[in-house]
Amino acid sequence: TMNATPTPDPAAWGPSPPRACPRAFPRGTSSPAASPPFAMEGLVRLALDNPVTAFIVLLLALLPLFSFLGSPAAEPESARPEPLEKRDYTLAQLRECDGSSDKPLLVCIRGDVFDVREGADFYGPGGPYAMFAGRDATRALARMSFEEADLANPRTDDLSPMERDQLDDWYGKFRYFKSYPIVGRLVAPPEPRPMTGAELAQLDGSGEPPEGRTVAPMCIGAGGKVFDVSFGGASMYGKGCPYNVFVGVDASRA
């Protein structure tokens, strides 16, 4: 049989011998208050023994000061461009928004139209990326191309996985990192078709915008044709605006 070994009684061990504690302060002192030069002496010794560590410690100590001195002053509201009306753009309308002659400065990526006026040094006339202004830059940015062949080509179905990742990065930079405002969508103009008066009456700008649109269609009949004035005409023909009475009706006689 095996004899069980009794568990020692901790009380029988007696007091633990005192452990030597590392000396925290210079000899002859008992506290930092008794030796004010200790901190300076420690820094000097640290600088002599390990200058790299001393530099890092000094940099971390001065970081709040650098952050305070380097923080840009808040940009006055008057210096920021006035917000643009949210609307839909045709490709021809977008091409006019290249920042020249006080025109808006817009760039389209993946169908979203960004107001890049705050980045005019880059995208405005004479800037390094001015070729993207007023353009659908989706394919060109994905391929990191300045070629007109890519700027004029809206296809994205043939992009490689790497190019698609590159496009995602650019879109994220515009929308989240730079926070350029999205002011509309790039939309192909509707194809002409026969339309009854009842159908025209439904296109009065009320209701939710269709998928892919920023605003609901607002149409006016005139001279036997139907015009969609929602492409930039909301400030004149929208609800509460002076010419809203013509929306959704044949205004030829008026």
Side-chain angles (χ1 to χ4, degrees):
T1 61
M2 297 181 64
N3 295 326
T5 303
T7 302
D9 182 5
W13 293 347
S16 299
R19 297 183 180 179
C21 297
R23 184 177 297 275
F25 312 110
R27 295 181 179 277
T29 65
S30 58
S31 68
S35 180
F38 170 67
M40 183 60 68
E41 292 175 3
L43 288 176
V44 172
R45 188 178 298 112
L46 177 63
L48 294 175
D49 295 342
N50 195 330
V52 175
T53 303
F55 175 76
I56 294 175
V57 171
L58 181 61
L59 186 63
L60 292 176
L62 295 178
L63 187 59
L65 178 61
F66 293 154
S67 299
F68 174 77
L69 294 177
S71 299
E75 184 180 4
E77 291 294 332
S78 59
R80 297 178 180 176
E82 290 291 328
L84 296 178
E85 170 194 354
K86 289 193 174 183
R87 47 163 290 191
D88 296 315
Y89 292 85
T90 66
L91 190 59
Q93 290 173 332
L94 180 66
R95 287 296 301 269
E96 297 178 0
C97 301
D98 59 359
S100 63
S101 303
D102 295 327
K103 295 177 182 177
L105 182 57
L106 308 179
V107 175
C108 176
I109 305 178
R110 292 201 315 208
D112 285 334
V113 177
F114 291 88
D115 176 4
V116 297
R117 287 178 294 171
E118 292 189 8
D121 290 343
F122 294 97
Y123 302 99
Y129 300 129
M131 70 288 300
F132 298 137
R135 307 298 295 268
D136 180 2
T138 303
R139 183 180 181 88
L141 290 174
R143 305 191 69 188
M144 294 299 292
S145 169
F146 295 158
E147 300 296 328
E148 178 63 26
D150 289 314
L151 286 167
N153 189 348
R155 286 189 61 184
T156 57
D157 59 305
D158 60 340
L159 296 177
S160 68
M162 184 176 297
E163 290 170 340
R164 292 182 183 278
D165 289 342
Q166 184 69 37
L167 177 58
D168 290 341
D169 288 343
W170 273 106
Y171 186 87
K173 289 175 184 176
F174 270 64
R175 183 165 186 175
Y176 304 112
F177 181 69
K178 300 300 293 186
S179 298
Y180 290 134
I182 296 177
V183 294
R185 294 278 299 174
L186 181 62
V187 180
E191 293 291 333
R193 64 180 181 86
M195 187 178 299
T196 66
E199 291 174 321
L200 177 61
Q202 295 178 355
L203 302 177
D204 60 355
S206 63
E208 294 296 323
E211 183 177 359
R213 295 284 302 265
T214 303
V215 296
M218 294 183 293
C219 295
I220 297 175
K225 297 181 179 180
V226 176
F227 299 89
D228 188 342
V229 296
S230 61
F231 286 87
S235 61
M236 297 296 292
Y237 299 96
K239 186 176 181 180
C241 296
Y243 299 119
N244 179 254
V245 294
F246 300 138
V247 176
V249 299
D250 183 355
S252 301
R253 185 177 180 85

